[in-house]
Amino acid sequence: MEKVFVARLDELASRMGKEVIVGEQKIAVFRLSDDRVKAIENICPHKQGPLAEGTVSGEYVFCPLHDYKIDLNDGQVQEPDEGCVRAYETIVEENLVYVMV
Amino acid sequence: MKEKLVLIGNGMAGVRTIEEILDRDAKRYQITIIGEEKYPNYNRIMLSNVLQKKMTVPEIVTNPLEWYEENQIELINHDPVVKMDTAAKQVITQSGKEISYDKCIVATGSRAFILPVEGANLPGVVGFRTIDDTENMLEAAQKYQKAVVIGGGLLGLEAAKGLLDQGMDVTVVHLEKWLMETQLDEKAGKMLQADLEKQGLKFLMEKMTQKILGEDRVTGLAFSDGTSIETDIVVMSIGIRSETTVAKAANIEVNRGIVVDDFMHTSIEDVYAVGECAEHNGNVYGLVAPLFEQGKVLADVLTGREAKPYKGSTTFTSLKVSGCDLYSAGNIKQQEGVNSIEAFDGINYTYKKIFVKEDRVVGVVLYGDTSEGNRYYNILKKNESIEDYTPVSLLHMVGEEASADVSEWPDDEVICGCNGIDKGTIMTAIREKELTSVVEVTKHTKAGGSCGKCKSVISDVLAHALGGEVVSAPTGICGCTDLTRDQIVTQIYAKKLTSSEEVYRELNFINPEGCPKCRPAINFYLNVAWPKEHEDEKESRYVNERLYANIQNDGTFSVIPRMRGGKTNPQQLLLIAKVAEKYDVPMVKVTGSQRIGLYGVKKEDLPQIWEELDMKAAGAYAKAVRSVKTCVGANFCRFGTQDSMGLGIKLEQRYEFIDTPHKFKMGVSACPRSCVESGVKDFGIIGVENGFQIYIGGNGGTEVKEAQLLTTAETEQEVIDICGAMLQYYRETGIYAERTAPWIERMGFDVVKEVLLNSEKRQELLAALDQAVEGRRGNPWDEVVEDQQTREELYTVGRV
């Protein structure tokens, strides 16, 4: 595992996602309303929608293409839909956001 | 010569009796109905919904004026009977009209009982019985802050919830230890109180009002224990009194109500009484089911049928306050010989209690889950022995409870208790009249038309009869709340909620940050309500509107530059071509609305492309005024009567970038050939020799709807003004994501027409529109190009 700097916290808008490409991996980074940061794979398992463009509510994001609801903690797609995306551990240190890749 | 039948009282009981008579023999009588209020017959039970703004006054009218006309009934309205002369067989109204009768029905109903205390006649003290009372209360809620409702009964609580919904600080004052003490036992009463407190109501229990304070208008209440409370209005809801003044003066026997026998005869020949003014066997009923049962008996009597004697009614009650499911029926007093079976589920917070006397159910109280109400009511009404039932059971397996399944109910099982409609009647109507929705069932059978609590069962019956799913009306706007659009918008104004956060918190959304359905809706409602105070919330906009470009199925975007009226020129075409080439745009296509679109653009390239295009956004991504489609028109076409392109450009320029509940499409055709297909546009114009025909509410979307002719305008300016007024009216009253066709259907075309063609109203709407969009009309692409921070936050992709 490698700790990769992805963005400054103040560059992230609240409840909106940002896509960060680390090597081959497309990661969607989200700043929640309470300023915690979550990161998941930026590809919806349904039709590959860019999750970073979805609506963020609490600890979930809704895919912009067909509203799949995904838990930002573990990447689990919520019922009645199925599937899972990779979730990444995040670390915020003094305004700097890192993702464990 | 037909016999003359006069009905005194234009309320629910009397008019229902007339309906029953017409059903049996429409030709028998020449009918006159005399009423005190200025409205046609309406459903008084629904006043709570009007107060809670779930329904409008026209919606609760059960028999509009046309009904009286169609049935050749003379209606003397807003002119109460002041005298009956039973010897001369005539009645005299306030304005002096003398009407003679062969048969007379007294259905004068009842009045709110006003406590005989000092100050009870002060302005600001009201009852809650009529449409006028309701409108007074709604008006008071606009002006004042604090309200006290005296009486914690059914009507009092519904009134209190209504005032709370209007943003008032409401306290209910109740004399007894618990709420609705005649319908609930202590446990259920306390559960109800706890739930209502959660919704924001306050309670003062076991308080006796001694005096109403105030000089010019009410300022407070003083209680017998020496305490007091401040208030701006007082609603008295402590009970009703039969209205018997006229009957008494005519020497008809009156006790608590007008005394009637089992066939609704009063003590005077040819005079009958039904409803809340009548007393049968010592009972006066204040609920709807008995009135209708009485009406049926009387209709039989008056049409010469063999009538079954009226034997009194078993009553039931439910409360019309969302979040408090409550049902009560029969006798629930703990008395000698009455035992009870009680179940409290502390996990789901539900409670039920069945009162049993000698193997028969005599009463029932349900709280929290009322789905079994009808079932118990049927057992109770039929006086069935409960020998065969398991009285106590816990943790059934799913599906075990077969009796809750309507398909197994017998045909004589009553579904709608208010109107006494059984399952067989509903099934027959569904089959014979090919009904497919609850609304239709109500229309044809009256089941579900009164208190409405049985609608879910009707829906089950429908599903069973049709063998498939029946679409039921959704309650709230999404899964996050039970509140409807109107309730939310009312609260936004009443509580002056200016941010989504406040809306979610104050209105107790289950999900404190909402979902993709409600977030954009609430952002829109807030923008319309508080154009200056509310800051548009990007995080609540759908990605298309947040990024000002449409997301495609592969995650890339489309860019559609504005070409007003569909007109372009070589310079624009060159620019578009250059950009498409430079950014490797995979597809260039003319769109459905006559614009050129660049498809497959990467998000990161959007700001740069916009900068280089140097054109405005066409808004093709937005729930907003879209581009205006035009034909060539008088400029080049040999048939064109008007300058359609010119008008299209003007409309587009005037209203571009204005948000609407859903996309708003316009078209201008210059002649009736309508090359633009103006007949399926939200706002469509067809130029004719003498002006411009305006069609509204046409949709070419998922559900194709033909537009309706609104009017023919003489000048372009008039067209532009009517368009602006429609936009604003749609903005103010539309449900988010509702296109104009369903909007007009919901509002009523005549209502919309009247508003848009009333020049005063039109000016008001235009002024409101101007104010709302002032300073918000810039080209969104420019904003992004100029604002470095937005560009970085929204359009860049990090690379590591």
Side-chain angles (χ1 to χ4, degrees), chain B residues 565-580:
Chain B
K567 199 166 95 173
T568 182
N569 57 36
Q571 289 72 33
Q572 271 188 348
L573 290 173
L574 277 170
L575 251 174
I576 292 170
K578 227 168 66 191
V579 167

Side-chain angles (χ1 to χ4, degrees), chain B residues 638-796:
Chain B
R638 68 196 166 105
F639 297 112
T641 57
Q642 302 284 359
D643 175 15
S644 53
M645 228 187 303
L647 178 56
I649 290 168
K650 281 179 203 152
L651 279 168
E652 200 163 332
Q653 196 159 20
R654 178 91 169 81
Y655 298 122
E656 60 198 8
F657 306 128
I658 289 178
D659 285 338
T660 41
H662 207 308
K663 58 188 170 190
F664 189 93
K665 294 187 162 191
M666 294 192 246
V668 188
S669 297
C671 81
R673 286 167 190 75
S674 190
C675 290
V676 166
E677 291 146 0
S678 302
V680 286
K681 297 282 181 264
D682 295 283
F683 192 85
I685 297 146
I686 293 181
V688 287
E689 281 302 334
N690 58 343
F692 306 86
Q693 290 177 341
I694 299 176
Y695 291 83
I696 62 170
N699 287 174
T702 43
E703 207 168 314
V704 183
K705 277 271 150 73
E706 195 180 330
Q708 301 180 68
L709 179 63
L710 179 75
T711 185
T712 302
E714 280 175 23
T715 63
E716 287 192 346
Q717 191 54 49
E718 207 181 335
V719 174
I720 293 169
D721 286 353
I722 290 175
C723 178
M726 175 169 169
L727 280 171
Q728 182 61 11
Y729 193 46
Y730 176 41
R731 280 160 51 84
E732 288 176 6
T733 58
I735 297 171
Y736 188 76
E738 175 186 50
R739 295 256 347 232
T740 56
W743 169 68
I744 288 172
E745 205 165 291
R746 185 168 57 80
M747 304 287 291
F749 179 75
D750 292 338
V751 174
V752 174
K753 181 172 175 172
E754 201 182 307
V755 168
L756 300 186
L757 298 186
N758 174 325
S759 62
E760 209 171 292
K761 197 83 194 124
R762 195 189 301 165
Q763 289 316 315
E764 273 172 33
L765 285 165
L766 281 169
L769 180 66
D770 283 341
Q771 213 175 18
V773 298
E774 194 186 321
R776 277 206 165 175
R777 297 284 304 285
N779 174 22
W781 289 354
D782 287 348
E783 287 162 31
V784 176
V785 169
E786 283 155 21
D787 180 359
Q788 197 56 35
Q789 195 185 339
T790 309
R791 222 166 140 153
E792 268 180 19
E793 278 180 356
L794 296 183
Y795 293 92
T796 60

Side-chain angles (χ1 to χ4, degrees), chain B residues 457-706:
Chain B
V457 187
I458 297 175
S459 165
D460 290 347
V461 175
L462 262 169
H464 163 58
L466 302 177
E469 294 243 328
V470 180
V471 185
S472 59
T475 47
I477 60 166
C478 68
C480 304
T481 179
D482 286 336
L483 299 175
T484 61
R485 178 259 178 219
D486 287 355
Q487 289 171 309
I488 292 168
V489 171
T490 308
Q491 296 277 336
I492 285 175
Y493 284 100
K495 296 199 165 136
K496 190 138 205 238
L497 308 176
T498 56
S499 73
S500 293
E501 228 185 316
E502 278 174 29
V503 172
Y504 284 103
R505 194 180 56 231
E506 294 290 320
L507 306 186
N508 294 320
F509 274 56
I510 301 161
N511 190 348
E513 292 188 11
C515 71
K517 244 187 167 162
C518 59
R519 282 259 296 276
I522 288 175
N523 186 48
F524 172 79
Y525 297 143
L526 287 167
N527 279 341
V528 173
W530 316 115
K532 296 205 171 69
E533 293 91 337
H534 176 245
E535 198 173 327
D536 188 59
E537 296 162 20
K538 268 198 175 304
E539 68 275 20
S540 291
R541 293 258 189 185
Y542 179 61
V543 56
N544 288 354
E545 296 190 359
R546 180 162 68 221
L547 298 183
Y548 308 120
N550 269 343
I551 193 163
Q552 311 299 149
N553 60 8
D554 62 352
T556 62
F557 290 84
S558 59
V559 169
I560 298 166
R562 196 167 275 282
M563 295 171 176
R564 287 192 185 130
K567 199 166 95 173
T568 182
N569 57 36
Q571 289 72 33
Q572 271 188 348
L573 290 173
L574 277 170
L575 251 174
I576 292 170
K578 227 168 66 191
V579 167
E581 198 175 53
K582 178 170 169 191
Y583 290 91
D584 228 357
V585 172
M587 186 167 72
V588 183
K589 184 194 181 297
V590 176
T591 70
S593 62
Q594 300 178 330
R595 304 297 186 270
I596 294 173
L598 309 177
Y599 293 82
V601 176
K602 289 197 247 3
K603 181 174 78 166
E604 292 163 272
D605 290 339
L606 289 170
Q608 202 57 42
I609 287 182
W610 294 335
E611 193 170 353
E612 288 178 34
L613 277 175
D614 197 23
M615 292 167 71
K616 285 187 174 185
Y621 43 79
K623 292 200 193 316
V625 174
R626 295 283 177 89
S627 43
V628 182
K629 204 167 168 178
T630 64
C631 67
V632 168
N635 288 341
F636 287 91
C637 175
R638 68 196 166 105
F639 297 112
T641 57
Q642 302 284 359
D643 175 15
S644 53
M645 228 187 303
L647 178 56
I649 290 168
K650 281 179 203 152
L651 279 168
E652 200 163 332
Q653 196 159 20
R654 178 91 169 81
Y655 298 122
E656 60 198 8
F657 306 128
I658 289 178
D659 285 338
T660 41
H662 207 308
K663 58 188 170 190
F664 189 93
K665 294 187 162 191
M666 294 192 246
V668 188
S669 297
C671 81
R673 286 167 190 75
S674 190
C675 290
V676 166
E677 291 146 0
S678 302
V680 286
K681 297 282 181 264
D682 295 283
F683 192 85
I685 297 146
I686 293 181
V688 287
E689 281 302 334
N690 58 343
F692 306 86
Q693 290 177 341
I694 299 176
Y695 291 83
I696 62 170
N699 287 174
T702 43
E703 207 168 314
V704 183
K705 277 271 150 73
E706 195 180 330

Side-chain angles (χ1 to χ4, degrees), chain A residues 4-5 10-11 13-16 18-23 33 47 50 53-58 62 64-65 67, chain B residues 511 513-516 519 538-539 542-543 546-547 551-553 555 557 603 792-794 796-800:
Chain A
V4 179
F5 167 76
D10 58 18
E11 279 173 2
S14 185
R15 284 197 286 176
M16 284 192 267
K18 181 187 175 76
E19 185 184 37
V20 178
I21 299 175
V22 180
S33 52
K47 297 269 181 190
E53 315 301 344
T55 301
V56 181
S57 170
F62 293 80
L65 294 191
D67 274 351
Chain B
N511 190 348
E513 292 188 11
C515 71
R519 282 259 296 276
K538 268 198 175 304
E539 68 275 20
Y542 179 61
V543 56
R546 180 162 68 221
L547 298 183
I551 193 163
Q552 311 299 149
N553 60 8
F557 290 84
K603 181 174 78 166
E792 268 180 19
E793 278 180 356
L794 296 183
T796 60
V797 173
R799 280 172 216 279
V800 180

Side-chain angles (χ1 to χ4, degrees), chain B residues 43 45-46 62 416 419 442 446-452 454-455 458:
Chain B
N43 187 343
I45 312 176
M46 292 296 154
T62 32
C416 170
N419 295 294
T442 302
K446 293 196 185 294
S450 295
C451 83
C454 59
K455 283 185 181 165
I458 297 175

